[in-house]
Amino acid sequence: MPPLLLDMSSTSVVVEWMTDSPGDERVRYGDGRLDHEIVPQQDGLIPVGAMHRVVIDGLLPGHTYQYQVSSRRVVALKPYWPDMGRTVQSPVYSFTTFDPAKKSASFAVITDTHEDVDRIRGLMDMIHREPVDFVAHDGDGVNYGVSENQLKDRFLEPMSTGLQGRVPLVYARGNHEYRGEFARSLGGYLHAQDDKYFFTRDEGPLHLVVVDTGEDKPDDTNVYAGLNDLRDYRSEEFAWLRKTFTQENRTTTAPFTVVLGHQPDWGWLDGHGEQWTQLANRAHIDLFIAGHEHVFQYIRPGERGNDFPILVVGQDQVARVQVSDTELKVVVTDRAGKLADEFSLKRKGK
């Protein structure tokens, strides 16, 4: 699997790739030349496996860096003189870090690809017709977690190929990612840098708040066999979101605050979903972008107690968002090129 750039920030990025047999991992990178190298270690040991995840940090905002990943095959991990194989390396790619000082930002949103590789490839082809700063996947990349190979073949590999090693991915967890024997392992592949599924990022005039909307049914639903505890998890997330909205400076100073989450109704919240809406109302967010319904919807302010519009992106659609200091523009098209909707939002006082 070619390199995937995940969770870009203004000073760091996660680089992930996979090999077809266990190996070590290293990344060479630099501004203009590959003059830095990262060989990660954990408790004094260099990780050996088929999945490779390296964080590059200490970067400068708005800078373009070249990078190359490599892995040396570990044939037998003996206590002395392990048997080593060949080293494979990627081509040299490049990425540009986020920059809160930029005058504009652009991104595209897709969602609910549900293991359909042809769908992912078609949507990515649409996205590349015009450059974007990043691509957001709004959840349900898999039907349920089965194995590493399934995650790679049906989601990570087509996404990384489509993103071409240069466009970063922002991922919001969907409810289907909670299900299956491999669901508890997905964080190692899809977590943000702080090992969470909820986080904030800033690019130009955009303040992006990514939330995890959890499952769509109560914890005690019999098909979950008592193995879900969304009540406590979402309470932790709500405390984080309240702190983010009230104490994070960019919520009030950024020209536009956009929330990205899989379910437009915030997911199952034990009857307390209106508290999340009220919190977003008080923060004067500008737009909520969701998926989950598989068909396009535009929920106007006031329809669900919301003071902000809610955009629900359809399963075979791309929502392209352009943000300036004064205006946020959205264009939604389907894979056939048909326009589903377009609208713009003016900057409002916060």
Side-chain angles (χ1 to χ4, degrees):
M1 188 186 88
L4 172 69
L5 299 170
L6 181 68
D7 185 26
M8 181 71 73
S9 77
S10 58
T11 59
S12 58
V13 66
V14 177
V15 184
E16 296 186 352
W17 70 99
M18 293 185 71
T19 49
D20 58 7
S21 60
D24 63 6
E25 54 194 36
R26 66 186 61 216
V27 178
R28 298 171 62 217
Y29 72 97
D31 184 353
R33 56 180 180 167
L34 303 177
D35 55 357
H36 293 72
E37 184 176 66
I38 299 176
V39 182
Q41 61 82 23
Q42 182 174 3
D43 300 325
L45 295 172
I46 295 173
V48 172
M51 172 65 189
H52 310 282
R53 178 181 169 106
V54 176
V55 177
I56 305 176
D57 57 15
L59 306 176
L60 296 174
H63 274 56
T64 298
Y65 294 88
Q66 288 72 44
Y67 76 100
Q68 182 182 57
V69 304
S70 65
S71 292
R72 181 176 52 157
R73 186 182 180 198
V74 178
V75 180
L77 198 56
K78 298 184 295 186
Y80 300 103
W81 297 109
D83 293 335
M84 307 300 292
R86 295 176 56 192
T87 296
V88 293
Q89 61 186 25
S90 73
V92 177
Y93 298 98
S94 65
F95 62 81
T96 302
T97 51
F98 286 175
D99 183 4
K102 279 179 61 177
K103 296 299 183 183
S104 63
S106 63
F107 65 100
V109 181
I110 62 175
T111 186
D112 295 279
T113 51
H114 282 283
E115 304 187 29
D116 190 328
V117 174
D118 288 338
R119 172 179 290 137
I120 294 175
R121 300 201 192 286
L123 294 173
M124 297 305 296
D125 286 344
M126 289 176 58
I127 290 171
H128 285 306
R129 293 170 191 170
E130 296 180 37
V132 291
D133 297 335
F134 64 91
V135 171
H137 192 290
D138 216 354
D140 283 4
V142 296
N143 296 322
Y144 40 82
V146 175
S147 67
E148 181 177 79
N149 282 338
Q150 171 229 16
L151 179 65
K152 174 181 71 70
D153 294 343
R154 295 294 176 177
F155 183 63
L156 291 178
E157 190 280 328
M159 289 297 300
S160 63
T161 299
L163 293 166
Q164 302 176 352
R166 59 181 178 82
V167 181
L169 172 68
V170 170
Y171 167 77
R173 181 159 64 159
N175 59 299
H176 278 263
E177 272 91 44
Y178 275 85
R179 303 169 186 173
E181 59 188 293
F182 200 66
R184 288 158 178 79
S185 301
L186 292 180
Y189 306 79
L190 295 171
H191 268 158
Q193 294 180 40
D194 60 356
D195 295 328
K196 297 287 188 181
Y197 285 113
F198 44 88
F199 55 96
T200 64
R201 288 293 177 262
D202 292 285
E203 173 74 325
L206 170 70
H207 182 53
L208 184 70
V209 181
V210 180
V211 297
D212 182 355
T213 58
E215 262 292 8
D216 60 357
K217 290 180 280 293
D219 286 344
D220 59 4
T221 303
N222 57 4
V223 295
Y224 301 149
L227 294 177
N228 284 9
D229 184 5
L230 272 296
R231 182 180 286 107
D232 287 347
Y233 173 68
R234 300 301 303 283
S235 294
E236 173 193 343
E237 184 185 6
F238 183 78
W240 166 85
L241 187 63
R242 180 172 52 205
K243 183 177 179 180
T244 296
F245 281 161
T246 58
Q247 299 182 25
E248 193 164 296
N249 187 49
R250 284 280 293 184
T251 302
T252 55
T253 61
F256 291 94
T257 296
V258 175
V259 174
L260 184 75
H262 181 65
Q263 298 179 65
D265 60 356
W266 304 101
W268 177 78
L269 289 163
D270 200 18
H272 299 292
E274 76 283 351
Q275 294 181 4
W276 291 62
T277 300
Q278 292 167 7
L279 192 62
N281 286 342
R282 290 194 297 270
H284 303 290
I285 75 165
D286 296 280
L287 178 66
F288 187 118
I289 303 178
H292 187 63
E293 305 294 344
H294 291 198
V295 294
F296 171 84
Q297 294 182 50
Y298 181 80
I299 301 168
R300 299 180 181 279
E303 290 186 16
R304 298 186 180 180
N306 50 303
D307 293 343
F308 49 89
I310 302 172
L311 168 64
V312 181
V313 182
Q315 191 172 39
D316 285 292
Q317 295 178 335
V318 171
R320 191 179 294 272
V321 184
Q322 297 278 346
V323 190
S324 71
D325 283 342
T326 59
E327 188 176 31
L328 182 150
K329 297 180 180 180
V330 179
V331 178
V332 183
T333 53
D334 64 19
R335 286 175 64 186
K338 182 180 179 181
L339 178 68
D341 195 18
E342 59 180 329
F343 61 91
S344 62
L345 305 172
K346 298 297 183 182
R347 182 175 181 174
K348 59 187 179 183
K350 299 183 181 181

